[in-house]
Amino acid sequence: MCNTEQTCQPPVGTRLTVRLLQTTDVHGHLLPFDYFTNQPDRPWGLLRLATLIARAREQAGAAHCLLLDNGDFLQGTPLSDLTGQPGHGWTGPHPVIDAMNRLGYDAGALGNHEFNFGLDWLTETLSEARFPIVCANAITQRGAHATDDRPLMPPYSIIARELRDSNGKHHTLRVGILGLVPTQIMTWDNDRLAQRLYVRDMVDTARAWLPEIRAAGADIVVVMAHTGIDPGPDRPMMENAARAIARLPGVDALLAGHSHKCFPGPAHDGVEGADTTRGTLHGIPCVMAGFRGDHLGQLDLVLTRDIEGAWRVADHDAKLLSTASAPPCPALAAALEPAHAHTLTLTARKIGETTAPLHSYLAVLRNDPITQIVNDAQRRAMRHALSDGPHAHLPLLSASAPFKTGGRGGPTHFTDIPAGPLCLRNIVDLYGFPNTLCGLKVTGADLRDWLERAAIRFRQIVPGTQDQPLLDPSVPGHDFDVIDGLTYAIDLSQPPRYDLSGALINPDAHRIRDLRHNGQEVRQNSHFILATNSYRAHGGGPFAALADRCLIHTDTHPVRTLLAEHVTEIGQVEPAARATWRFEPIEDTSVIIETGPGLRAYPQDIAALGLTDLGLAPSGFINLRMWLSGRADPPNCLTHPCESPISGLSSH
Ligand code: MN
Ligand code: MG
């Protein structure tokens, strides 16, 4: 028996192990089910994670495991975005929180997407959670220092665990958990958060809180930062700040997320300070478990008692466990069945029909029927909203981008809807984000600038050179806005005018040519109304925050709802797109683009653009050649794709 603190002190060198189990960016993927295509048995989701979690707990002893989620759990599938939202007839608990409660999460951190549905809904929904949810830098009132702020959620939590040491003796280990979210939430969800929420830089906030958490009794501190690992230099308010956070004194382990990548693993090879085999960032143990429940992060920490009587991380083992071959947990599946069934009923509701397939395989190569129908819906809603108002006389334009264009989502991350009935699940597939509609009063100069920013999707192309990669893989597909109501050409021989952060990098470069409205050249000072989404209006992606000076209308309904209304009204969609944009022809020049192999079901679309199918790459994408001069390869290659993958091209 020990009667005093003194005699309870474990001897120097005593070892304790604790296992951190991380999920991140699950995005409402509970069941291994794709609500867009109604395909079961997908290789991801929380039901499969549950099996891995149970195994990991059994292996290490449940008491030694902490189950932690790094954010972006409440948004992303019809299960979370329809069933989990008010107004869709579901009266049970929020399915995601319910599932997390059942799995016994020990703590969670907020991601940026938690803010997509407004603060009132968020705080009410989070109150159902039977585990602490921490976030230090999203605050409702700013204090003199970060530690004086009034945070929306508790900034940190200390989880106490009775653990058995290497000598069989029990000790209480207090694990401090600090939560951080990217400051960009104030741009991305400005219309829901402005005047109600403030943010502090993640690195500054962590620096302020780390000593406080230690002083409050934490033996070790784990930072749960909803942020990715970027190679570049540190900047204020940086979105992907994991490396900077890892270098702060007092961080024992770091759980990262947000970028949907995996760590440890080859995705971050070559990044300064990243040991992609050991799983460390600047020496600090770190994991990042992909997205939609495709991996479980498992970070084993070996702690030893040091001479000062503190627990130190002496060793660690960081790994990611793939969910692909883990069977779904039957008990959790049964618990979620009513919410799943409700979601299936909602998404099966027929909205209208389409006379031809709607696919996004060629959305960055041609005027895309899907982008067109979104723009049509936005224009319709905006015209209705502005009718009889002071802006009704101005020309009405609409900006939207293709949302599912492969990229990090892989070769199946495309929309591909067959001809026939259009159900609500198809509408959610066409517009996957919970953005709302905004109206901006813009000038011709604003429009030209907007399109220059959209055009950074493409690399600079050297005239007279063959088979150059067309797309800049660092630019997300959803940044390629098309402005419906204008006509213009994109000159790829010019370098991009902006970089991905929106910084002007080539002031003399202009890719947008022949910009016209109703056949007339667009004047710099002419006025237009532009319908766009809230994310973009407030400067999401490389775009300027034009809403700051020219916002004239906001709509509370998601664009997706407006799209469903539009399709209901027209009844029958006849997929087609106006001739809005084109590539400026470049003689003797060809480019290569990768897209999903599902495109092969549409040979007429391949032929219409004169594309050559160069075969399947190891990444699972197919490579296509397109001539910018307008000519095509000889036709034999079109019907018999060459099966040898071309070297030097890989997925991103
Ligand atoms: Mn995410
Ligand atoms: Mg995120």
Side-chain angles (χ1 to χ4, degrees):
M1 286 298 289
C2 58
N3 302 315
T4 67
E5 284 239 323
Q6 198 61 42
T7 53
C8 278
Q9 287 292 328
V12 171
T14 304
R15 288 157 67 93
L16 273 186
T17 57
V18 60
R19 169 170 285 187
L20 308 180
L21 297 172
Q22 185 217 24
T23 58
T24 189
D25 296 275
V26 174
H27 282 287
H29 291 84
L30 303 185
L31 290 85
F33 186 87
D34 184 334
Y35 291 97
F36 305 124
T37 59
N38 273 357
Q39 281 177 285
D41 303 323
R42 302 292 85 198
W44 30 250
L46 197 68
L47 293 187
R48 294 189 192 278
L49 280 173
T51 300
L52 296 182
I53 291 164
R55 282 183 199 159
R57 281 172 166 163
E58 193 177 279
Q59 199 182 48
H64 289 257
C65 295
L66 294 182
L67 178 58
L68 307 166
D69 185 88
N70 252 66
D72 280 3
F73 48 97
L74 290 174
Q75 175 276 336
T77 66
L79 183 60
S80 55
D81 299 8
L82 299 175
T83 299
Q85 284 295 313
H88 294 95
W90 174 248
T91 53
H94 191 288
V96 174
I97 300 288
D98 184 31
M100 293 173 84
N101 282 338
R102 288 172 188 274
L103 282 175
Y105 272 81
D106 294 287
L110 295 182
N112 52 300
H113 282 287
E114 267 64 73
F115 295 88
N116 286 167
F117 307 103
L119 284 185
D120 296 333
W121 175 85
L122 179 62
T123 46
E124 191 185 314
T125 301
L126 295 180
S127 71
E128 295 174 20
R130 294 200 295 264
F131 51 91
I133 295 170
V134 291
C135 184
N137 65 322
I139 57 183
T140 56
Q141 204 175 317
R142 191 180 279 274
H145 303 285
T147 49
D148 306 318
D149 292 338
R150 184 179 297 171
L152 178 74
M153 304 301 294
Y156 70 90
S157 178
I158 295 179
I159 302 167
R161 276 294 166 84
E162 288 294 316
L163 298 182
R164 198 206 297 255
D165 72 16
S166 44
N167 303 319
K169 297 235 170 67
H170 282 81
H171 305 284
T172 303
L173 183 75
R174 294 178 184 83
V175 182
I177 308 279
L178 176 73
L180 298 166
V181 70
T183 56
Q184 283 72 16
I185 57 172
M186 293 308 298
T187 295
W188 300 330
D189 279 303
N190 184 282
D191 53 337
R192 294 178 178 90
L193 305 180
Q195 319 303 329
R196 299 195 57 194
L197 199 74
Y198 306 90
V199 289
R200 267 190 201 271
D201 180 85
M202 289 190 281
V203 182
D204 292 345
T205 307
R207 189 185 288 113
W209 278 108
L210 286 165
E212 296 272 330
I213 303 171
R214 196 76 58 166
D219 294 305
I220 61 168
V221 178
V222 177
V223 180
M224 296 176 68
H226 187 81
T227 190
I229 302 166
D230 260 8
D234 295 350
R235 297 180 310 276
M237 307 295 248
M238 66 195 295
E239 178 182 342
N240 289 306
R243 287 177 50 245
I245 294 166
R247 293 201 303 277
L248 294 171
V251 178
D252 292 297
L254 177 60
L255 305 181
H258 183 56
S259 63
H260 294 191
K261 294 183 184 176
C262 288
F263 188 85
H268 297 88
D269 280 346
V271 173
E272 191 199 332
D275 186 329
T276 57
T277 309
R278 281 271 293 154
T280 58
L281 277 186
H282 297 284
I284 301 299
C286 176
V287 291
M288 169 159 48
F291 85 119
R292 71 178 171 193
D294 58 7
H295 291 84
L296 178 68
Q298 181 176 293
L299 182 53
D300 288 338
L301 299 177
V302 179
L303 310 175
T304 55
R305 195 73 179 177
D306 72 7
I307 197 150
E308 286 154 22
W311 293 107
R312 301 264 179 241
V313 177
D315 196 7
H316 78 278
D317 181 31
K319 58 170 69 126
L320 297 183
L321 310 171
S322 168
T323 45
S325 57
C329 164
L332 192 56
L336 293 173
E337 180 55 31
H340 175 56
H342 186 87
T343 309
L344 290 180
T345 306
L346 285 175
T347 53
R349 181 162 65 88
K350 192 183 162 189
I351 305 287
E353 43 192 84
T354 177
T355 59
L358 282 161
H359 71 76
S360 64
Y361 297 116
L362 299 172
V364 289
L365 290 186
R366 65 173 190 182
N367 288 290
D368 179 51
I370 294 178
T371 311
Q372 182 71 59
I373 191 176
V374 172
N375 273 326
D376 288 346
Q378 291 187 165
R379 258 147 71 107
R380 173 184 171 277
M382 190 60 63
R383 184 175 295 115
H384 183 73
L386 301 184
S387 60
D388 306 330
H391 303 293
H393 67 287
L394 288 172
L396 177 57
L397 312 172
S398 177
S400 188
F403 294 112
K404 293 174 82 173
T405 55
R408 258 179 241 153
T412 61
H413 187 63
F414 292 87
T415 294
D416 189 350
I417 301 168
L422 280 175
C423 305
L424 188 58
R425 68 183 167 86
N426 304 125
I427 302 296
V428 179
D429 192 4
L430 293 173
Y431 203 108
F433 294 98
N435 303 326
T436 54
L437 185 69
C438 285
L440 303 174
K441 184 182 175 187
V442 297
T443 64
D446 292 332
L447 294 173
R448 192 176 291 277
D449 187 71
W450 191 295
L451 292 171
E452 288 289 354
R453 293 169 190 268
I456 72 168
R457 182 76 180 94
F458 305 109
R459 292 178 194 249
Q460 184 176 9
I461 298 302
V462 182
T465 307
Q466 315 311 324
D467 291 356
Q468 303 165 74
L470 176 66
L471 298 176
D472 179 341
S474 70
V475 181
H478 62 250
D479 282 347
F480 182 54
D481 269 13
V482 170
I483 300 187
D484 181 50
L486 301 175
T487 58
Y488 51 96
I490 299 173
D491 181 356
L492 298 179
S493 70
Q494 295 288 306
R497 190 168 165 77
Y498 293 96
D499 72 8
L500 188 54
S501 74
L504 181 64
I505 48 168
N506 292 299
D508 298 328
H510 296 281
R511 287 181 156 183
I512 303 303
R513 306 271 191 226
D514 198 25
L515 180 63
R516 291 174 185 272
H517 173 255
N518 279 344
Q520 303 291 314
E521 200 170 317
V522 171
R523 296 237 195 96
Q524 292 292 82
N525 55 0
S526 310
H527 283 97
F528 301 84
I529 300 301
L530 183 63
T532 185
N533 66 59
S534 44
Y535 170 86
R536 186 72 85 229
H538 293 282
F543 291 79
L546 292 188
D548 293 349
R549 65 171 163 88
C550 52
L551 183 69
I552 54 132
H553 176 75
T554 54
D555 195 311
T556 54
H557 298 101
V559 175
R560 178 193 303 139
T561 303
L562 306 175
L563 180 59
E565 287 170 6
H566 174 68
V567 172
T568 303
E569 188 175 286
I570 61 176
Q572 195 170 63
V573 173
E574 294 177 17
R578 275 188 279 281
T580 297
W581 68 276
R582 61 195 185 277
F583 290 119
E584 192 77 34
I586 307 177
E587 278 309 306
D588 289 326
T589 306
S590 66
V591 293
I592 303 287
I593 182 178
E594 59 181 22
T595 192
L599 174 66
R600 287 175 172 171
Y602 308 105
Q604 69 283 9
D605 291 351
I606 298 177
L609 290 179
L611 304 174
T612 305
D613 184 339
L614 298 172
L616 194 63
S619 59
F621 286 93
I622 57 169
N623 285 300
L624 301 170
R625 174 185 295 134
M626 185 173 75
W627 288 91
L628 291 174
S629 48
R631 75 179 168 99
D633 281 346
N636 61 322
C637 240
L638 299 179
T639 44
H640 305 286
C642 331
E643 280 305 333
S644 61
I646 45 178
S647 58
L649 290 167
S650 61
S651 73
H652 47 80

